[in-house]
Amino acid sequence: MNIRLILSGVVSFVFYFSWAYWANSSADIAKSVTLQAALVQGLYSGFVTLFFTFILEKVVNKYKFSYVTLAFVTPIICMFHSKTPQNVAIRQSFNNAINSSASYLGNKKIAGVLFAPIIPITVQSSLVIMVNVINQTPNLALTVAPSIFFTALYAYTYMLALLKK
């Protein structure tokens, strides 16, 4: 296993264990509950960071040279909408926005790799909330907010580091 992967998992465990311990330390919260919340958050974060880093490396390498044009964004966003009058109006608004911006943007492209971390970030955010809800973590929002924020920051920073190689 790659040393970067292991190191990222260990750092993540230590940071999020410490954070969750602090976030759930209170006179009205039993120490055993505080410790359990810290262990759950630390172990979860360490494991997910290992997995997340591995997947991010694969996705970045796959889409390093891919590009997305603005013309493909609207159909992707709108394909999930049903045919209700409101959704048809939304689709028309998106199409009008695309047509209006087409003259400004021309053939400019957005690197596809910039979208690579979005799905892993969303999955990780959902999982960290679910794990802590199941664990009945007392201070849920304070416990998981840094995890979600730093996951996104880590994903894009790490992605940029991979692209510089």
Side-chain angles (χ1 to χ4, degrees), residues 56 59-60 63 111-121 156 159:
L56 188 60
V59 171
V60 167
Y63 294 106
V113 75
L114 294 177
F115 298 104
I118 292 174
I119 291 176
I121 290 168
Y156 281 99
M159 178 195 69

Side-chain angles (χ1 to χ4, degrees), residues 56-64 113 116 159 162-163:
L56 188 60
E57 285 183 5
K58 298 295 182 196
V59 171
V60 167
N61 286 332
K62 182 176 181 174
Y63 294 106
K64 189 183 299 189
V113 75
M159 178 195 69
L162 289 174
L163 292 174

Side-chain angles (χ1 to χ4, degrees), residues 8 22 25 98 118 131 134 142:
S8 66
W22 176 81
S25 290
I98 293 291
I118 292 174
V131 164
I134 290 169
L142 187 59

Side-chain angles (χ1 to χ4, degrees), residues 7-83:
L7 184 59
S8 66
V10 169
V11 168
S12 180
F13 171 81
V14 170
F15 176 80
Y16 288 110
F17 174 90
S18 302
W19 177 263
Y21 191 87
W22 176 81
N24 293 287
S25 290
S26 171
D28 58 335
I29 299 173
K31 285 289 180 197
S32 61
V33 173
T34 299
L35 185 57
Q36 180 179 340
L39 280 171
V40 166
Q41 183 64 27
L43 289 171
Y44 167 81
S45 294
F47 174 74
V48 166
T49 300
L50 285 172
F51 183 70
F52 185 83
T53 303
F54 176 76
I55 296 298
L56 188 60
E57 285 183 5
K58 298 295 182 196
V59 171
V60 167
N61 286 332
K62 182 176 181 174
Y63 294 106
K64 189 183 299 189
F65 302 109
S66 298
Y67 294 92
V68 176
T69 64
L70 190 57
F72 292 111
V73 173
T74 297
I76 291 169
I77 292 172
C78 293
M79 74 181 187
F80 300 106
H81 293 289
S82 64
K83 302 292 183 195

Side-chain angles (χ1 to χ4, degrees), residues 85-113:
Q86 296 86 352
N87 290 335
V88 170
I90 291 169
R91 182 176 295 132
Q92 288 173 342
S93 296
F94 275 123
N95 285 332
N96 289 339
I98 293 291
N99 291 336
S100 298
S101 63
S103 61
Y104 171 73
L105 294 173
N107 288 328
K108 293 180 181 161
K109 299 176 188 174
I110 301 169
V113 75

